[in-house]
Amino acid sequence: MKAPTKLTGRGYVVLTSQRKFKVEINFSAKIPIQAIENALHGQESENSQEALRVLDIILRLYTVK
């Protein structure tokens, strides 16, 4: 049985029989799409490490689903 959820302006509030959880998501950095494309093609740029980190997070999220 899924716990009821309520979407708020800042995130989701998940209601269970005993606890409430408030989740807030914030941007930590902006990565140019060009840097991600360059990383996919194996080209170095000043944002290469951040672009690879973003790709790693995205791929992990899609493998979980």
Side-chain angles (χ1 to χ4, degrees), residues 39-63:
L40 287 171
H41 292 299
Q43 300 169 354
E44 292 282 329
S45 72
E46 72 178 60
N47 294 323
S48 293
Q49 290 298 316
E50 290 86 3
L52 291 173
R53 193 173 311 126
V54 168
L55 289 172
D56 181 53
I57 292 167
I58 291 170
L59 291 173
R60 287 178 193 229
L61 288 174
Y62 278 107
T63 58

Side-chain angles (χ1 to χ4, degrees), residues 22-35:
K22 183 177 180 180
V23 178
E24 186 174 330
I25 299 173
N26 294 311
F27 287 107
S28 62
K30 290 186 179 183
I31 307 299
I33 295 295
Q34 186 65 43

